[in-house]
Structure formats: C-alpha cells, structure tokens
Amino acid sequence: MVAISGGKDSVVVSYVLSKLKEKFNLQIEYFFIRLGIPTFTEKSEEIATRVTESINYPLTIYDLKKEEGFTIMDVKYKPCSYCGMIRRYILNKYAFENDFDYVVLGHNLDDEVFFIFNNMFNKNITQLQRTGPLTQTIKEKKLVGRIKPLYFLTEEEILLYAKLKNLPHIGCACPNSLESTQKKFKKDIKFSRDQKLNIVYSILEMKKYLPEEKVELKFCEKCGYPTTSDTCKFCRTKEKILSTL
C-alpha cells in the first residue's frame, strides 16, 4: 500500500513504484487520507488523483470526517503534532485490515536526519532503533511494516526528479506545519548531502550496539490495535476531540 499525499516525495515514490511493478511483481494500492485542511486538502487530493490516473491506478480515499467523525482542524492544540500520529494509525489499521505486506512511505534523507537528532535531543536513544529504510511486518501484533524507498535521497534530489519527469505535486507546505519543530530544524540547521548520509550511515551502524527498544505492547481496549497503555493515543485523542464538537 502506497501512501500518497500530493507532496513531491509521495508523488515521486508512487511514480517510480508504478514503473517497477512488473519487474518485482508488485500488487499496489494507492491510499490518500482526506484530512480536512481547508484548500490544502483539496489541492493535495486533486494532485493525488491526477498522479494515480496518469499511471492508471485506482486511488482509495479515506475521509477522516466520514470515517472517524472529525478533521485535523478540529484538533485545537498543535494539530501538526497530532496529524502524524493520526495518519500513522490509519495507515497501519487500513493496511492490516486489508492484508497488505507493507506500507510504502515517501520519507527522505532530510526527514530521517531530523528523526535522529530529535530523538537524541530528547534522550530517546532506544527510539533510534526505529530508523532505517525498512521495518518488518509483525501480523500477530497487528503491525504492518514500512518501506521508505527514498531513504537515502535528499529533498533537493527528489524535487529535481519530480521536475525532470514533470510530475505534479503540491508546492507549498501544509499551513499547520509552518511552526513545527521539524520545519524549524530543517531551516536552521544545515548539512551537506554527504554529512546527512554520514549521519544516517553512522546511526544504522550504531544500531547494532544500541539496546533494543523494550516496549510491552498491549491491545487497545477500544479499537484492538497495539498500544503501550490500556487505551491507544488515537482513541484517547478521538474521544477528546469528539467531546468538544
């Protein structure tokens, strides 16, 4: 299952995988989450539809308001920070329920460098075990693995490829992300391409010596999906949002 948002990264990975379908005998479904962000969501969906139509694939659209009863704009405090969690939950749930082997994401080298430093700054060393271009599927825990084909490519390289192939993509950032920690990090801290690669390669090598992330997973009492508490963060967030509507 390929998550397509309309941004350059997901558009490029969607296009490239469509070209590799026969070589690797891939069965692909493209998946778009309608988040309900005024104007931005509409533009993103339009691009996702154009891209999937051009490569002759159907697009599954998951309407957050229709399926869950709220939109991202109903999150009143730091919607950007909740958006990632909500999208991860929906992608995993849909992929598991529809028996996909993996979810494909458009995360790039710049995203991974931020992930590494953000966890180091917050002393979440064991979280670094989660970095890498591939995580495995664990069906008994209802966790679908993730593949990041653009893991070793910078944003600049991906944008150049999109332009060379004349691939449509949304050219502006989500309005909710303008003050996000990741946006500020990428703006204020500059690394060369080689430095970014060295950071990632170093962490991937260090993973061999890092302690394994020891997390006792339970199944959420409300939805049945994995969590570290009795009720997962998605269900707690959803309940809180719906109580204010």
Side-chain angles (χ1 to χ4, degrees):
M1 186 178 88
V2 182
I4 180 168
S5 66
K8 65 184 186 311
D9 303 321
S10 67
V11 165
V12 165
V13 81
S14 297
Y15 173 81
V16 171
L17 281 181
S18 74
K19 298 300 181 183
L20 297 174
K21 176 189 175 184
E22 293 184 2
K23 181 177 181 180
F24 293 103
N25 192 28
L26 302 176
Q27 293 180 319
I28 305 172
E29 180 175 327
Y30 291 92
F31 189 80
F32 177 87
I33 302 175
R34 186 181 287 153
L35 296 169
I37 303 169
T39 306
F40 186 80
T41 291
E42 286 83 354
K43 289 182 178 179
S44 299
E45 184 177 333
E46 178 188 349
I47 289 170
T49 302
R50 286 171 57 193
V51 170
T52 51
E53 285 179 350
S54 69
I55 56 179
N56 199 27
Y57 275 90
L59 176 65
T60 297
I61 297 176
Y62 189 96
D63 191 311
L64 187 61
K65 179 68 174 180
K66 180 180 178 181
E67 301 292 340
E68 307 295 343
F70 66 93
T71 72
I72 290 299
M73 301 311 294
D74 293 321
V75 181
K76 303 305 180 185
Y77 179 71
K78 293 186 177 181
C80 190
S81 60
Y82 285 91
C83 184
M85 176 274 295
I86 290 169
R87 285 185 288 117
R88 286 191 297 271
Y89 175 89
I90 291 171
L91 289 171
N92 182 72
K93 183 173 183 287
Y94 184 87
F96 178 80
E97 291 179 350
N98 291 276
D99 202 30
F100 285 96
D101 296 315
Y102 291 97
V103 175
V104 177
L105 302 172
H107 290 184
N108 58 52
L109 182 61
D110 297 88
D111 296 327
E112 295 303 314
V113 169
F114 167 75
F115 176 84
I116 290 167
F117 275 88
N118 189 48
N119 282 293
M120 291 176 66
F121 292 153
N122 291 287
K123 302 179 183 178
N124 297 325
I125 303 303
T126 56
Q127 284 267 28
L128 296 178
Q129 288 286 7
R130 296 185 181 183
T131 193
L134 171 69
T135 57
Q136 295 294 340
T137 293
I138 311 175
K139 284 295 179 73
E140 61 270 22
K141 293 184 179 180
K142 295 186 178 181
L143 291 171
V144 179
R146 298 183 176 192
I147 302 173
K148 303 173 183 176
L150 307 181
Y151 187 86
F152 296 106
L153 296 174
T154 65
E155 288 186 343
E156 291 81 3
E157 291 170 314
I158 296 165
L159 180 59
L160 177 60
Y161 184 88
K163 289 180 177 179
L164 289 173
K165 292 294 183 179
N166 293 315
L167 299 176
H169 59 278
I170 192 160
C172 60
C174 172
N176 289 335
S177 72
L178 298 180
E179 296 299 321
S180 69
T181 303
Q182 183 171 0
K183 186 70 68 176
K184 293 177 181 178
F185 176 89
K186 290 181 178 180
K187 179 181 177 182
D188 296 337
I189 301 180
K190 303 295 183 183
F191 294 108
S192 68
R193 178 182 180 278
D194 286 344
Q195 288 172 326
K196 293 172 186 176
L197 285 170
N198 286 339
I199 290 167
V200 165
Y201 282 129
S202 295
I203 292 297
L204 292 177
E205 181 66 24
M206 289 169 60
K207 280 177 63 174
K208 301 175 185 177
Y209 308 101
L210 289 172
E212 290 189 14
E213 186 184 10
K214 295 181 180 180
V215 178
E216 182 182 351
L217 287 179
K218 308 175 183 180
F219 292 107
C220 176
E221 294 176 349
K222 293 184 179 294
C223 69
Y225 278 84
T227 179
T228 55
S229 56
D230 293 333
T231 305
C232 72
K233 189 173 182 180
F234 177 86
C235 286
R236 296 198 308 270
T237 301
K238 177 179 176 179
E239 185 177 8
K240 184 177 180 180
I241 294 171
L242 294 180
S243 68
T244 65
L245 298 179

